[in-house]
Coordinates of all heavy atoms in Angstrom, one line a residue:
L46 N -11.7 58.4 31.9 CA -10.3 58.6 32.1 C -9.6 57.4 31.5 O -9.8 56.2 31.9 CB -9.9 58.6 33.6 CG -8.5 58.9 34.0 CD1 -8.1 60.4 33.5 CD2 -8.2 58.7 35.4
I47 N -8.7 57.6 30.5 CA -8.0 56.6 29.8 C -6.6 56.4 30.4 O -6.0 57.4 30.7 CB -7.9 56.9 28.3 CG1 -9.3 57.2 27.7 CG2 -7.3 55.7 27.6 CD1 -10.4 56.2 27.9
I48 N -6.2 55.2 30.7 CA -5.0 55.0 31.4 C -4.1 54.1 30.6 O -4.4 53.0 30.2 CB -5.3 54.3 32.8 CG1 -6.3 55.1 33.6 CG2 -4.0 54.0 33.6 CD1 -7.1 54.3 34.6
A49 N -2.9 54.7 30.2 CA -1.9 54.0 29.4 C -0.9 53.3 30.3 O -0.5 53.8 31.3 CB -1.2 54.9 28.5
L50 N -0.6 52.0 30.0 CA 0.3 51.2 30.8 C 1.4 50.6 30.0 O 2.0 49.6 30.4 CB -0.5 50.1 31.4 CG -1.7 50.5 32.3 CD1 -2.6 49.4 32.7 CD2 -1.1 51.1 33.6
G51 N 1.8 51.3 28.9 CA 3.0 50.9 28.1 C 2.7 50.0 27.0 O 1.5 49.7 26.7
A52 N 3.7 49.6 26.3 CA 3.6 48.8 25.1 C 3.3 47.3 25.3 O 3.0 46.6 24.3 CB 4.9 48.9 24.3
A53 N 3.2 46.9 26.5 CA 3.0 45.4 26.7 C 1.7 45.1 27.6 O 1.4 44.0 27.8 CB 4.2 44.8 27.4
T54 N 1.1 46.2 28.2 CA -0.1 46.0 29.0 C -1.3 46.8 28.4 O -1.1 47.9 28.1 CB 0.2 46.5 30.4 OG1 1.3 45.7 31.0 CG2 -1.0 46.2 31.3
K55 N -2.4 46.1 28.2 CA -3.6 46.7 27.6 C -4.1 47.9 28.4 O -4.0 47.9 29.6 CB -4.7 45.7 27.5 CG -4.3 44.5 26.6 CD -5.3 43.4 26.8 CE -4.8 42.1 26.1 NZ -5.7 41.0 26.3
I56 N -4.6 48.9 27.7 CA -5.1 50.1 28.3 C -6.3 49.9 29.2 O -7.0 48.9 29.0 CB -5.3 51.2 27.3 CG1 -6.5 50.9 26.4 CG2 -4.1 51.6 26.6 CD1 -6.9 52.0 25.4
Y57 N -6.6 50.8 30.1 CA -7.8 50.8 30.9 C -8.5 52.0 30.7 O -8.0 53.0 30.2 CB -7.4 50.8 32.4 CG -7.2 49.4 33.0 CD1 -5.9 48.8 32.9 CD2 -8.2 48.8 33.8 CE1 -5.7 47.5 33.5 CE2 -7.9 47.5 34.4 CZ -6.7 46.9 34.2 OH -6.5 45.7 34.8
K58 N -9.8 52.0 31.1 CA -10.6 53.2 31.2 C -11.3 53.2 32.5 O -11.6 52.1 33.1 CB -11.6 53.4 30.1 CG -12.8 52.4 30.2 CD -13.8 52.8 29.1 CE -15.1 51.9 29.2 NZ -16.1 52.2 28.3
A59 N -11.6 54.4 33.1 CA -12.3 54.5 34.3 C -13.6 55.4 34.0 O -13.4 56.4 33.3 CB -11.5 55.2 35.4
T60 N -14.7 55.0 34.4 CA -15.9 55.8 34.2 C -16.2 56.7 35.4 O -15.5 56.5 36.5 CB -17.2 54.8 34.0 OG1 -17.4 54.1 35.3 CG2 -16.9 53.8 32.9
T61 N -17.1 57.6 35.3 CA -17.4 58.5 36.4 C -18.0 57.7 37.6 O -18.1 58.3 38.7 CB -18.4 59.6 35.9 OG1 -19.6 59.0 35.3 CG2 -17.7 60.5 34.9
S62 N -18.4 56.5 37.4 CA -19.0 55.6 38.5 C -17.9 54.8 39.1 O -18.1 53.9 39.9 CB -20.0 54.7 37.9 OG -21.1 55.4 37.3
D63 N -16.6 55.1 38.8 CA -15.4 54.4 39.4 C -15.4 53.0 39.0 O -15.0 52.1 39.8 CB -15.4 54.5 40.9 CG -15.1 55.9 41.4 OD1 -14.4 56.7 40.7 OD2 -15.6 56.3 42.5
V64 N -15.8 52.7 37.8 CA -15.7 51.3 37.2 C -14.5 51.3 36.3 O -14.4 52.1 35.3 CB -16.9 50.9 36.4 CG1 -16.8 49.6 35.8 CG2 -18.2 50.9 37.4
Y65 N -13.5 50.4 36.5 CA -12.3 50.3 35.7 C -12.5 49.1 34.8 O -12.8 48.0 35.3 CB -11.1 50.1 36.6 CG -10.7 51.4 37.3 CD1 -11.4 51.7 38.5 CD2 -9.7 52.2 36.9 CE1 -11.1 52.9 39.2 CE2 -9.4 53.4 37.6 CZ -10.1 53.7 38.7 OH -9.8 54.9 39.4
T66 N -12.2 49.3 33.5 CA -12.3 48.2 32.5 C -11.0 48.2 31.7 O -10.6 49.2 31.2 CB -13.5 48.5 31.6 OG1 -14.7 48.7 32.4 CG2 -13.7 47.3 30.6
Q67 N -10.5 47.0 31.5 CA -9.3 46.8 30.6 C -9.7 46.4 29.3 O -10.7 45.7 29.1 CB -8.4 45.8 31.3 CG -7.0 45.8 30.6 CD -6.0 44.9 31.3 OE1 -6.4 43.9 32.0 NE2 -4.7 45.1 31.0
A68 N -9.0 46.8 28.3 CA -9.2 46.4 26.9 C -9.1 44.8 26.8 O -8.3 44.2 27.5 CB -8.2 47.0 26.0
T69 N -10.0 44.2 26.0 CA -10.0 42.8 25.9 C -9.0 42.3 24.8 O -8.5 41.2 24.8 CB -11.4 42.2 25.7 OG1 -11.9 42.9 24.5 CG2 -12.2 42.5 26.9
D70 N -8.9 43.2 23.8 CA -7.9 42.8 22.7 C -6.6 43.6 22.9 O -6.5 44.3 23.8 CB -8.5 43.0 21.3 CG -9.1 44.4 21.1 OD1 -9.0 45.2 22.0 OD2 -9.7 44.6 20.0
N71 N -5.7 43.4 22.0 CA -4.4 44.0 22.1 C -4.3 45.5 21.8 O -3.8 45.9 20.8 CB -3.4 43.2 21.2 CG -3.1 41.8 21.7 OD1 -3.2 41.6 22.9 ND2 -2.9 40.9 20.8
T72 N -4.8 46.2 22.7 CA -4.9 47.7 22.6 C -3.9 48.3 23.6 O -4.2 48.3 24.8 CB -6.3 48.3 22.8 OG1 -7.2 47.6 21.9 CG2 -6.3 49.7 22.5
F73 N -2.7 48.7 23.2 CA -1.7 49.2 24.0 C -1.5 50.7 23.8 O -1.7 51.2 22.7 CB -0.4 48.5 23.8 CG -0.5 47.0 23.9 CD1 -0.5 46.2 22.7 CD2 -0.7 46.3 25.1 CE1 -0.7 44.8 22.8 CE2 -0.8 45.0 25.2 CZ -0.8 44.2 24.0
A74 N -1.0 51.4 24.8 CA -0.6 52.8 24.6 C 0.5 53.2 25.6 O 0.5 52.7 26.7 CB -1.8 53.7 24.9
I75 N 1.5 53.9 25.1 CA 2.5 54.4 25.9 C 2.2 55.9 26.3 O 2.3 56.2 27.5 CB 3.9 54.4 25.1 CG1 4.2 52.9 24.7 CG2 5.0 54.9 26.0 CD1 5.3 52.7 23.7
K76 N 1.9 56.7 25.3 CA 1.5 58.1 25.6 C 0.1 58.4 25.0 O -0.3 57.7 24.0 CB 2.5 59.1 25.0 CG 3.9 59.0 25.6 CD 3.8 59.5 27.1 CE 5.2 59.5 27.7 NZ 5.1 59.8 29.1
L77 N -0.6 59.3 25.6 CA -1.9 59.6 25.1 C -2.0 61.2 24.9 O -1.4 61.9 25.6 CB -3.0 59.2 26.1 CG -3.1 57.7 26.4 CD1 -3.9 57.5 27.7 CD2 -3.7 57.0 25.2
G78 N -2.9 61.6 24.0 CA -3.2 63.0 23.8 C -4.5 63.1 23.1 O -4.9 62.2 22.4
V79 N -5.2 64.3 23.3 CA -6.5 64.6 22.6 C -6.3 65.8 21.7 O -5.7 66.8 22.1 CB -7.6 64.8 23.6 CG1 -8.8 65.3 22.9 CG2 -7.9 63.6 24.4
A80 N -6.7 65.6 20.5 CA -6.8 66.8 19.5 C -8.1 66.7 18.9 O -8.5 65.8 18.2 CB -5.6 66.6 18.5
G81 N -8.9 67.8 19.1 CA -10.3 67.8 18.6 C -11.1 66.7 19.1 O -11.1 66.5 20.3
K82 N -11.7 65.9 18.3 CA -12.6 64.8 18.7 C -11.8 63.5 18.7 O -12.4 62.4 19.0 CB -13.8 64.7 17.7 CG -13.4 64.4 16.3 CD -14.6 64.3 15.4 CE -14.1 64.1 14.0 NZ -14.5 63.1 13.2
N83 N -10.5 63.5 18.5 CA -9.7 62.3 18.5 C -8.8 62.1 19.7 O -8.2 63.0 20.2 CB -8.7 62.3 17.3 CG -9.5 62.3 16.0 OD1 -10.6 61.7 15.9 ND2 -8.9 62.9 14.9
L84 N -8.8 60.9 20.2 CA -7.8 60.4 21.2 C -6.7 59.8 20.4 O -6.9 59.0 19.5 CB -8.4 59.4 22.1 CG -7.4 58.7 23.1 CD1 -6.9 59.8 24.1 CD2 -8.1 57.6 23.8
W85 N -5.5 60.3 20.7 CA -4.3 59.8 20.1 C -3.4 58.9 21.0 O -3.5 59.2 22.2 CB -3.4 60.9 19.5 CG -4.0 61.6 18.3 CD1 -4.9 62.6 18.3 CD2 -3.6 61.3 17.0 NE1 -5.2 62.9 17.0 CE2 -4.4 62.2 16.2 CE3 -2.7 60.5 16.4 CZ2 -4.3 62.2 14.8 CZ3 -2.7 60.5 15.0 CH2 -3.5 61.3 14.2
R86 N -2.7 58.0 20.5 CA -1.9 57.1 21.3 C -0.6 56.9 20.6 O -0.5 56.9 19.4 CB -2.5 55.8 21.7 CG -2.6 54.9 20.4 CD -3.1 53.5 20.7 NE -3.2 52.8 19.4 CZ -3.2 51.5 19.3 NH1 -3.0 50.7 20.4 NH2 -3.3 50.9 18.1
S87 N 0.5 56.7 21.3 CA 1.7 56.1 20.8 C 1.8 54.7 21.2 O 1.5 54.4 22.4 CB 3.0 56.9 21.2 OG 3.2 56.7 22.6
S88 N 2.1 53.8 20.3 CA 2.1 52.4 20.6 C 3.5 51.8 20.6 O 3.8 50.7 21.0 CB 1.2 51.6 19.8 OG 1.4 51.8 18.4
T89 N 4.4 52.5 19.9 CA 5.9 52.2 19.9 C 6.7 53.5 20.0 O 6.1 54.6 20.2 CB 6.2 51.5 18.6 OG1 6.1 52.4 17.5 CG2 5.3 50.3 18.3
T90 N 8.0 53.4 19.7 CA 8.8 54.6 19.8 C 8.5 55.5 18.6 O 9.0 56.7 18.6 CB 10.3 54.3 19.8 OG1 10.6 53.5 18.6 CG2 10.7 53.5 21.0
Q91 N 7.8 55.1 17.6 CA 7.6 55.9 16.4 C 6.2 55.8 15.8 O 5.9 56.5 14.8 CB 8.6 55.7 15.3 CG 8.5 54.3 14.6 CD 9.6 54.1 13.7 OE1 10.6 53.4 14.0 NE2 9.5 54.6 12.5
L92 N 5.3 55.0 16.3 CA 3.9 54.9 15.7 C 2.9 55.6 16.6 O 2.8 55.4 17.8 CB 3.6 53.4 15.6 CG 4.4 52.6 14.6 CD1 3.9 51.2 14.5 CD2 4.3 53.2 13.2
V93 N 2.0 56.3 15.9 CA 0.8 57.0 16.6 C -0.4 56.6 15.8 O -0.3 56.4 14.6 CB 1.0 58.5 16.7 CG1 2.2 58.9 17.6 CG2 1.1 59.2 15.4
S94 N -1.5 56.6 16.5 CA -2.8 56.4 15.8 C -3.9 57.1 16.6 O -3.6 57.5 17.8 CB -3.1 54.9 15.6 OG -3.1 54.2 16.9
S95 N -5.1 57.2 16.1 CA -6.2 57.9 16.8 C -7.5 57.1 16.7 O -7.6 56.3 15.8 CB -6.4 59.3 16.2 OG -6.9 59.2 14.9
C96 N -8.4 57.5 17.6 CA -9.7 56.9 17.5 C -10.7 58.0 17.9 O -10.4 59.0 18.5 CB -9.9 55.7 18.5 SG -10.0 56.0 20.2
T97 N -12.0 57.8 17.6 CA -13.0 58.7 17.9 C -14.1 58.1 18.8 O -15.0 58.7 19.3 CB -13.7 59.3 16.7 OG1 -14.2 58.2 15.9 CG2 -12.7 60.1 15.8
T98 N -14.0 56.7 18.9 CA -15.0 56.0 19.7 C -14.3 55.3 20.9 O -13.4 55.9 21.4 CB -15.8 55.0 18.8 OG1 -14.8 54.1 18.3 CG2 -16.5 55.7 17.7
T99 N -14.7 54.2 21.2 CA -14.2 53.5 22.4 C -12.7 53.1 22.2 O -12.4 52.3 21.3 CB -15.0 52.2 22.8 OG1 -14.4 51.6 23.9 CG2 -15.2 51.3 21.6
P100 N -11.8 53.6 23.0 CA -10.4 53.3 22.9 C -10.0 51.9 23.3 O -8.9 51.5 23.1 CB -9.7 54.3 23.7 CG -10.7 54.8 24.7 CD -12.1 54.6 24.1
L101 N -10.9 51.1 23.9 CA -10.6 49.8 24.4 C -10.7 48.7 23.3 O -10.3 47.6 23.5 CB -11.5 49.4 25.6 CG -11.4 50.2 26.8 CD1 -12.2 49.6 28.0 CD2 -10.0 50.5 27.3
T102 N -11.2 49.1 22.2 CA -11.3 48.2 21.0 C -10.3 48.5 20.0 O -10.3 49.6 19.4 CB -12.7 48.3 20.5 OG1 -13.7 48.1 21.5 CG2 -13.0 47.3 19.4
L103 N -9.5 47.5 19.6 CA -8.4 47.8 18.6 C -9.0 48.2 17.3 O -8.4 49.1 16.6 CB -7.6 46.5 18.5 CG -6.3 46.6 17.6 CD1 -5.4 47.6 18.2 CD2 -5.7 45.2 17.5
A104 N -10.1 47.7 16.9 CA -10.8 48.1 15.6 C -11.1 49.6 15.6 O -11.3 50.2 14.5 CB -12.0 47.3 15.4
S105 N -11.2 50.2 16.8 CA -11.6 51.7 16.8 C -10.4 52.6 16.4 O -10.6 53.7 16.1 CB -12.0 52.1 18.2 OG -13.2 51.4 18.6
W106 N -9.2 52.0 16.5 CA -8.0 52.8 16.2 C -7.8 52.8 14.7 O -7.8 51.7 14.1 CB -6.8 52.3 17.0 CG -7.0 52.5 18.5 CD1 -7.5 51.6 19.3 CD2 -6.6 53.6 19.2 NE1 -7.5 52.1 20.6 CE2 -7.0 53.4 20.6 CE3 -6.1 54.9 18.9 CZ2 -6.8 54.3 21.5 CZ3 -5.9 55.8 19.9 CH2 -6.2 55.5 21.2
G107 N -7.4 53.9 14.2 CA -7.2 54.0 12.7 C -5.8 53.6 12.3 O -5.1 52.9 13.0
T108 N -5.4 54.1 11.2 CA -4.1 53.9 10.6 C -2.9 54.3 11.6 O -3.0 55.3 12.3 CB -3.9 54.7 9.3 OG1 -5.0 54.3 8.5 CG2 -2.6 54.5 8.7
D109 N -1.9 53.5 11.6 CA -0.7 53.9 12.3 C 0.2 54.8 11.4 O 0.4 54.5 10.3 CB 0.2 52.6 12.7 CG -0.3 51.8 13.8 OD1 -0.9 52.4 14.7 OD2 -0.2 50.6 13.8
Y110 N 0.6 55.9 12.0 CA 1.4 56.9 11.3 C 2.8 56.8 11.9 O 3.0 56.8 13.1 CB 0.9 58.3 11.4 CG -0.5 58.4 10.8 CD1 -1.6 58.5 11.6 CD2 -0.7 58.5 9.4 CE1 -2.9 58.6 11.0 CE2 -1.9 58.6 8.8 CZ -3.0 58.6 9.7 OH -4.3 58.7 9.1
T111 N 3.8 56.9 11.1 CA 5.2 56.9 11.5 C 5.7 58.3 11.8 O 5.5 59.2 11.1 CB 6.1 56.3 10.4 OG1 5.7 55.0 10.2 CG2 7.6 56.2 10.9
V112 N 6.3 58.5 13.0 CA 6.9 59.7 13.4 C 8.4 59.6 13.7 O 8.7 58.9 14.6 CB 6.2 60.2 14.7 CG1 6.7 61.6 15.2 CG2 4.7 60.3 14.5
G113 N 9.2 60.2 12.9 CA 10.6 60.1 13.1 C 11.1 58.7 12.9 O 10.5 57.9 12.1
N114 N 12.1 58.4 13.6 CA 12.6 57.0 13.6 C 12.5 56.4 15.0 O 12.1 57.0 15.9 CB 14.1 57.0 13.0 CG 15.0 57.7 13.9 OD1 15.0 57.7 15.1 ND2 15.9 58.5 13.2
S115 N 13.0 55.1 15.1 CA 12.8 54.4 16.4 C 13.9 54.7 17.4 O 14.0 54.1 18.4 CB 12.7 52.9 16.1 OG 13.9 52.5 15.5
T116 N 14.9 55.6 17.0 CA 16.0 55.9 17.9 C 15.5 56.5 19.2 O 16.0 56.3 20.3 CB 17.0 56.9 17.2 OG1 17.4 56.3 16.0 CG2 18.2 57.2 18.1
Y117 N 14.4 57.4 19.1 CA 14.0 58.2 20.3 C 12.5 57.9 20.6 O 11.7 57.7 19.7 CB 14.2 59.7 20.0 CG 15.6 60.0 19.7 CD1 15.9 60.4 18.4 CD2 16.6 60.0 20.7 CE1 17.2 60.8 18.1 CE2 17.9 60.3 20.4 CZ 18.2 60.7 19.1 OH 19.5 61.0 18.8
N118 N 12.2 57.8 21.9 CA 10.9 57.6 22.4 C 10.0 58.8 22.1 O 10.5 60.0 22.0 CB 10.9 57.4 23.9 CG 11.5 56.0 24.2 OD1 11.4 55.1 23.5 ND2 12.1 56.0 25.4
I119 N 8.7 58.6 22.0 CA 7.7 59.7 22.0 C 7.5 60.1 23.5 O 7.1 59.3 24.3 CB 6.4 59.2 21.3 CG1 6.7 58.9 19.8 CG2 5.3 60.2 21.5 CD1 5.5 58.3 19.1
N120 N 7.7 61.4 23.7 CA 7.6 61.9 25.1 C 6.3 62.5 25.4 O 5.8 62.6 26.6 CB 8.7 62.9 25.4 CG 10.1 62.2 25.4 OD1 10.2 61.1 25.7 ND2 11.1 63.0 25.1

Side-chain angles (χ1 to χ4, degrees):
L46 186 68
I47 310 303
I48 305 155
L50 299 166
T54 303
K55 299 170 189 174
I56 64 174
Y57 272 84
K58 74 173 182 178
T60 66
T61 55
S62 303
D63 291 328
V64 174
Y65 289 79
T66 307
Q67 189 175 26
T69 55
D70 52 5
N71 291 328
T72 307
F73 307 105
I75 302 167
K76 294 294 180 183
L77 298 167
V79 173
K82 63 181 173 128
N83 293 331
L84 174 66
W85 287 83
R86 69 173 177 156
S87 65
S88 54
T89 69
T90 58
Q91 71 184 99
L92 294 179
V93 297
S94 58
S95 69
C96 75
T97 57
T98 58
T99 178
L101 298 187
T102 305
L103 189 58
S105 297
W106 294 91
T108 302
D109 283 329
Y110 299 103
T111 302
V112 180
N114 60 43
S115 61
T116 303
Y117 303 109
N118 291 329
I119 293 173
N120 294 332

